[in-house]
Amino acid sequence: MESPLPVIAVTMGDGAGIGPEVVVGALADAAVYERCRPLVIGDARRLREAALARGASVEVAAVESVARARFMPGRIDVIDLGLLPDGLEWGKLSPAAGEAAYQYVRVAAELAVAREVQAICTAPLNKEALHAAGHIYPGHTELLAALTGTEEVSMMLSTPKVKVIHVTTHIGLIDAIARIDPGLVERTVRRGHQAMRASGVGTPVIGVCGINPHAGENGLFGAGEEETKIQPALEKLRADGIDARGPLPADTAFFLAGRGDYDLIVAMYHDQGHGPVKVLGIEAGVNITVGLPVIRTSVDHGTAFDIAGTGAAEVGSMIEALCQAADLAPGATG
């Protein structure tokens, strides 16, 4: 009988960074296998090296397909693409590692679109290495959108205290303000509302940040962006029964969310959302891409070249990312 647990494709990330170590560390935890069936897309030899660095007693087993995986605690199943060169140095930028990281995501996306896996969970890649390999994407979010033919997605960061979805992400602040318009704000809030409903929040309370200090303070700051770019979207959303409140001063919105007033905060630009979230819980933070045809979660940290290969990387964020992927994934079919 087919297991009801979802199959999660776990991409190994940049092989020169801490991706292999956090993958091994997370999958060495037997409790993970009570929540999902993880299958790594990566490099078996590098995972064995990471296990040695961490002192993890696990078997790394190369498999040819999802059907060949056994999903047993103490054993890490991996579709081994064999793309990393011998002697790849830990903590050093490598175009070869960037190319491999891209291919791990590509294969995972193909498996997800084909419904062979129910979700994707990504270890960190290095943007500079990705670009050096000729794949010019700002990050996983945009890469997965391209691979799945998705026109527009949103980045959501989730911690035990606060969840934040971003209207804009990896663009400069001036460009972000220019890009924000009522349509984009409305679509972002709707994606966030849908994601919260899918995670079990029946009637999400959503706090929407302003752009300017004190949300413009009735035109005192800025050029009326709150009134022209945000307020029209909120009026439409409320008319449809979505509890979207704002525009809110961002410096108090996160405090209020942290004490439970809001289920989700909508940030207008990258640092407005990322800064508070990382203060509140980077160790257990999870990055969720909202709007893809597949579930995708990720750790909320980078490749940490400075500690790669030492076995010191924290694995809490990867475990939480796997658990949230399992919670959000549709039931496995068999």
Side-chain angles (χ1 to χ4, degrees), residues 191-217:
R191 281 191 286 269
H193 182 264
Q194 183 179 15
M196 295 305 296
R197 290 285 303 272
S199 68
V201 181
T203 54
V205 179
I206 302 173
V208 181
C209 291
I211 295 172
N212 295 297
H214 304 286
E217 203 160 300

Side-chain angles (χ1 to χ4, degrees), residues 52-101:
L52 186 63
R54 292 195 65 88
S57 298
V58 292
E59 175 193 0
V60 177
V63 297
E64 297 176 355
S65 65
V66 177
R68 297 283 187 178
R70 293 169 62 184
F71 307 115
M72 297 170 54
R75 168 187 161 118
I76 297 175
D77 296 299
V78 54
I79 293 180
D80 183 8
L81 300 190
L83 297 174
L84 296 180
D86 291 342
L88 178 69
E89 190 172 354
W90 293 104
K92 299 292 184 183
L93 185 76
S94 165
E99 175 64 28

